[in-house]
Amino acid sequence: METTKKDIRALTKEQLREFFVAQGDKDFRGNQVYEWLWNKGAHKFEDMTNISKETRLMLEDNFVINHIEVDQMQRSNDGTIKNAVRLHDGLIVESVLIPTKKRTTACVSSQVGCSLDCKFCATSRLKRMRNLNPDEIFDQVVAIDKQSRLYFNKPLTNIVFMGMGEPLMNYNNVLKAIDKITSPEGLGMSPKRIVVSTSGVPKMIKKMADDEVKFGLAVSLHSAIDEIRTSIMPFNATFPLADLREALEHWYAKTKNLITYEYVVWDGINDTKKDVEALIEFCRFAPSKVNLIEYNPIDDGEFQQADNAAIDMYISMLEANNITVTVRRSRGKDIDAACGQLANKS
Ligand code: SF4
């Protein structure tokens, strides 16, 4: 049912304190409610047991607590869990829990659909419907943290913004969500355990650097040759590699953080020596790490993972140029939870 009441979690702690003062109550009431919302995960005002019944009814009259529901959970043979998450307005996004021996990682979504149109990505086929609110991003992390404790007996250790959507196209809300995830009143996680993965929006990368964010950055590069990158990531025509590189130079100058590039090698697209040489050249300006990601075809089409010889060529040429390279195996392929496959098929 449509409601005109405001989502109480859109208020900052200060705004909540001011609200209570305006109601003739004490400002610390705002702190109590804030803690219920963000630390104790209350979904209903009636759960706030240290708040008087009268105050809870007053809150009910003025606000709603929008929260997500895990609509469907699928478990892969390799332990990966994919959640179809229903938002308060009925839209669905997906988030993934990826367990390894040492860590459990949440891969979360930042938009419903995506603003961009990468040809190899299932999400790009969904039009961007809206940005996620900070609480909707936060709630995905909380849900996965609970699953991590339940199924793997440990709290969530890492978060990557690599689910549906381009996080830098929803920058303010992503930042607010990370603020809640890292604050002691939220989950208290270290920002060093969070990576925002972008397709490369130069203006926003510079802004992140200027904002002195403490979390990590990964860039989905996939080609260091403009013509090829534009053919697979058409927005590269608007944000060409020279602009991306300039933004990353700014990022490195400010943060001194190593830059991670996500990179898939596709058969017949970027699997030649010339492609690797361009990548090496692109990486030269700052310490870099290249994650070669195993690709999962999203249809019978155009994009197929290159053979091992091409991957080996990448590895040996990158290593010979002192660029760290890792090969990341895909997880959760059998439930369409792997990179590039998130598209609400569940
Ligand atoms: S790869 Fe990322 S940025 Fe590109 S369309 Fe898919 S979700 Fe959007």
Side-chain angles (χ1 to χ4, degrees), residues 113-118 120-124 163-166 199 233 235:
C114 188
S115 322
L116 302 182
D117 50 0
C118 307
F120 51 83
C121 169
T123 308
S124 71
M164 299 166 83
E166 165 52 61
S199 301
M233 303 169 86
F235 69 89

Side-chain angles (χ1 to χ4, degrees), residues 159-162 165-168 191 194-201 204-205 208 213 215-222 229 233 235 244 248 251 255 257-263 282 287-293 326 328 339:
I159 301 170
V160 292
F161 281 78
M162 235 180 246
E166 165 52 61
L168 297 193
I194 300 174
V195 173
V196 169
S197 174
T198 175
S199 301
V201 187
M204 300 314 296
I205 292 172
M208 272 172 68
V213 300
F215 49 81
L217 170 71
V219 178
S220 293
L221 191 64
H222 306 308
R229 194 165 194 261
M233 303 169 86
F235 69 89
L244 175 59
L248 291 171
W251 164 266
T255 66
N257 283 345
L258 166 138
I259 300 169
T260 300
Y261 296 106
E262 310 288 354
Y263 202 103
F282 191 85
S288 306
K289 178 175 147 193
V290 175
N291 277 340
L292 294 176
I293 304 174
T326 59
R328 214 173 66 209
C339 278

